[in-house]
Amino acid sequence: QVQLVESGGGLVQAGGSLRLSCAASGRTFSNYAAGWFRQAPGKEREFVAAINWSGGMTRYADSVKGRFTISRDNAKNTVYLQMNSLKLEDTAVYNCAAGPLTATSGTSYDYWGQGTQVTVSS
């Protein structure tokens, strides 16, 4: 089992920045790929970014490419999502996930955190 706890969400003005963290415990986190997903009210969950076990490969949704950066520190068992130039449409609950593949589909991930709210205001 891997337990994941997100933090760093909050209220930010459009154009601002936030950094989300996802702290892992349990099994060796460095064995797993990690991903960030988000879900806005009334919408389906969508892929945001993913990173492989070593940090050497990353994937991004087109909507966040160039604005968001995913990274990880395996020594700290933590994955980060740096979010810059935030837009109103980035408002959502953000969840991190861990699994065997650096995938864009949530079904490929076995473990999920509880989520952290990000609200972007005008």
Side-chain angles (χ1 to χ4, degrees):
Q1 289 282 347
V2 175
Q3 293 78 42
L4 302 172
V5 179
E6 301 96 334
S7 61
L11 176 64
V12 63
Q13 286 191 323
S17 299
L18 280 176
R19 188 176 82 155
L20 305 183
S21 298
C22 175
S25 60
R27 288 188 173 181
T28 304
F29 184 59
S30 58
N31 289 343
Y32 295 90
W36 286 96
F37 292 77
R38 66 186 182 187
Q39 187 168 19
K43 295 187 177 182
E44 293 187 353
R45 182 178 64 196
E46 64 172 352
F47 168 76
V48 176
I51 190 166
N52 75 334
W53 67 274
S54 68
M57 183 178 77
T58 58
R59 304 178 72 176
Y60 295 94
D62 288 343
S63 59
V64 306
K65 204 170 292 183
R67 300 188 298 122
F68 291 10
T69 303
I70 189 171
S71 62
R72 67 190 298 162
D73 184 340
N74 285 337
K76 296 182 178 180
N77 290 333
T78 302
V79 175
Y80 304 98
L81 185 68
Q82 177 67 43
M83 305 185 295
N84 298 329
S85 302
L86 283 160
K87 304 177 180 180
L88 296 178
E89 53 264 40
D90 294 319
T91 295
V93 174
Y94 285 70
N95 294 87
C96 68
L101 302 175
T102 314
T104 61
S105 171
T107 58
S108 297
Y109 292 86
D110 300 318
Y111 305 103
W112 292 82
Q114 84 291 348
T116 185
Q117 176 71 46
V118 172
T119 303
V120 184
S121 64
S122 58

